[in-house]
Amino acid sequence: MTSSTKLIDLRVNRRFRRLTLNTVIVLYFLIMVGGVVRSTGAGMGCPDWPKCFGSWIPPTEASQLPLNYKEVFGAKLKGEVIFNPVKTWIEYVNRLIGAFTGIMIFITLLASTPYLKSNRKSFFGYSFLAFILVGFQGWLGSKVVSSELHPVMITVHMLLAIVIVFILIYLFIRSSYSAEKDGKNIANKGLIDKVTILVLVLSLIQILLGTQVRETMDEVIRTLGYSERAGWIGALGVPFYIHRSFSILVLISNVFWINKINHSIAGESRIKQLGKGCLAILGLEIVTGIVMAYLGVPPFAQPVHLTLAIIMIGLQFMMWLLMNADQLAWSRDIVKLSNDLV
């Protein structure tokens, strides 16, 4: 490998790694904004898609709408035929950030094209998959609107967002030169690997349970209205209590898992650091859950609670990748590239 080729490889990897990380951050921001849309009841702030009230740039006051807009959009607004500019613009900003996320993933795809000429062609394959899925996610978002926020569509929308996050995290870790070093010399690796998978499954179940609670809350809000926030939790019933009780299992499993990791890896490592981050985020998530339960579900708490959950499962997945880098068919390429660059 010539010195010029080494320099190109180094630049390609550095650019690609930064892009994947930045795209993950943007995607997390989109998830948080999506939580704001739901917590403020702005999901139908734009009753049509891709336009908003028939325009690419939504109006700021009712006088800018057609005189018959109540008849045209009334059925989709679930009875809320009075134009609400705040909800409209919250949903519109959500769509803009979604479009920007798509652009970021497309740029990441372009940055992966040099790998087509290397033995790491899968970089392009996974980048292309993320691009296809984010396009499907946009289409799914249109169906969420056309179905008037159907609960199943919202749950699938959330699951697909997690899949895209996982793909981008996988690409970020795989493009890191030193990934293979973190998973070496782990005592009781078989047990820890199984516990890691269990923790990931439990976290995913808890997120889905939270989605079910949010869907139940939508029904409660339609019944009680936004002026009765203090009574929302009491009216949620069984789904809320299942979600709350399951959080105890999630907490215990994570503490056990991190403790096992700390005793099984000698010295400091990125896996241990990420484990500490998981526990900190889990603690914050529990705090936001308590705030919602006892302080009348303040609007800021819901999107923060959701975003923390997605960040935590992302960190857990990252730890699993680092622990298994030597078994996931990329460490050999990383070692070769690292040696070539010395």
Side-chain angles (χ1 to χ4, degrees):
M1 181 179 289
T2 65
S3 59
S4 61
T5 305
K6 295 177 189 176
L7 185 60
I8 291 173
D9 275 349
L10 179 59
R11 288 175 177 174
V12 165
N13 277 276
R14 183 178 299 163
R15 180 172 62 248
F16 184 75
R17 187 169 65 250
R18 288 176 178 174
L19 271 172
T20 54
L21 178 60
N22 290 334
T23 305
V24 169
I25 293 172
V26 170
L27 186 54
Y28 274 125
F29 186 65
L30 175 62
I31 291 170
M32 185 177 68
V33 173
V36 172
V37 170
R38 295 206 71 189
S39 67
T40 56
M44 294 301 292
C46 291
D48 48 341
W49 194 95
K51 294 184 178 181
C52 185
F53 283 102
S55 302
W56 291 110
I57 300 178
T60 55
E61 55 186 35
S63 62
Q64 297 173 332
L65 291 167
L67 294 177
N68 64 336
Y69 84 92
K70 293 183 180 181
E71 289 74 24
V72 174
F73 301 105
K76 289 187 176 182
L77 289 174
K78 296 182 179 292
E80 189 181 339
V81 294
I82 299 176
F83 171 68
N84 187 321
V86 174
K87 291 184 178 182
T88 294
W89 277 87
I90 288 175
E91 169 59 15
Y92 182 66
V93 169
N94 177 51
R95 294 183 183 186
L96 289 179
I97 296 174
F100 180 69
T101 303
I103 292 172
M104 286 292 294
I105 291 181
F106 179 66
I107 294 174
T108 302
L109 174 63
L110 293 179
S112 71
T113 53
Y115 292 111
L116 288 171
K117 299 179 180 179
S118 72
N119 57 354
R120 287 168 288 165
K121 295 180 177 64
S122 61
F123 278 42
F124 176 83
Y126 282 106
S127 299
F128 184 71
L129 177 60
F131 178 69
I132 294 298
L133 288 179
V134 82
F136 181 73
Q137 183 80 319
W139 173 83
L140 194 60
S142 71
K143 294 303 178 182
V144 170
V145 174
S146 63
S147 68
E148 301 182 8
L149 309 181
H150 191 280
V152 174
M153 298 297 291
I154 292 174
T155 300
V156 174
H157 200 55
M158 172 58 65
L159 282 174
L160 188 55
I162 295 174
V163 171
I164 296 172
V165 167
F166 276 12
I167 292 173
L168 292 171
I169 288 176
Y170 173 79
L171 287 170
F172 171 71
I173 294 297
R174 186 171 176 182
S175 61
S176 175
Y177 301 136
S178 60
E180 51 88 26
K181 297 178 182 178
D182 292 276
K184 287 184 176 180
N185 302 319
I186 300 179
N188 302 316
K189 185 163 186 312
L191 173 62
I192 291 179
D193 203 45
K194 292 177 181 177
V195 176
T196 304
I197 297 297
L198 175 63
V199 167
L200 278 166
V201 171
L202 291 177
S203 295
L204 182 59
I205 292 174
Q206 180 70 333
I207 290 172
L208 294 179
L209 288 174
T211 303
Q212 296 300 313
V213 171
R214 190 62 185 84
E215 292 167 1
T216 304
M217 186 174 290
D218 287 340
E219 297 297 326
V220 171
I221 292 172
R222 279 192 282 270
T223 302
L224 300 180
Y226 281 90
S227 60
E228 298 294 330
R229 281 184 176 271
W232 289 356
I233 294 296
L236 288 175
V238 175
F240 168 72
Y241 294 109
I242 293 176
H243 180 61
R244 187 178 67 176
S245 300
F246 200 80
S247 65
I248 299 173
L249 179 59
V250 171
L251 175 61
I252 293 173
S253 63
N254 273 271
V255 171
F256 174 81
W257 175 54
I258 299 301
N259 183 63
K260 280 292 183 182
I261 288 175
N262 289 337
H263 285 86
S264 300
I265 300 178
E268 288 298 320
S269 73
R270 286 190 295 179
I271 296 174
K272 283 186 175 182
Q273 294 171 356
L274 290 171
K276 293 176 182 177
C278 280
L279 288 182
I281 290 172
L282 179 57
L284 290 173
E285 188 180 5
I286 291 174
V287 169
T288 56
I290 293 172
V291 167
M292 287 193 291
Y294 294 99
L295 296 181
V297 197
F300 77 88
Q302 295 180 59
V304 172
H305 189 68
L306 170 63
T307 306
L308 288 173
I310 307 300
I311 291 175
M312 186 180 72
I313 197 173
L315 291 179
Q316 292 167 347
F317 181 64
M318 188 179 295
M319 292 171 66
W320 180 78
L321 289 175
L322 290 172
M323 285 187 285
N324 293 277
D326 58 334
Q327 301 175 22
L328 294 175
W330 75 69
S331 59
R332 187 181 304 170
D333 296 337
I334 294 169
V335 172
K336 181 179 182 301
L337 179 60
S338 299
N339 291 337
D340 287 341
L341 292 173
V342 173

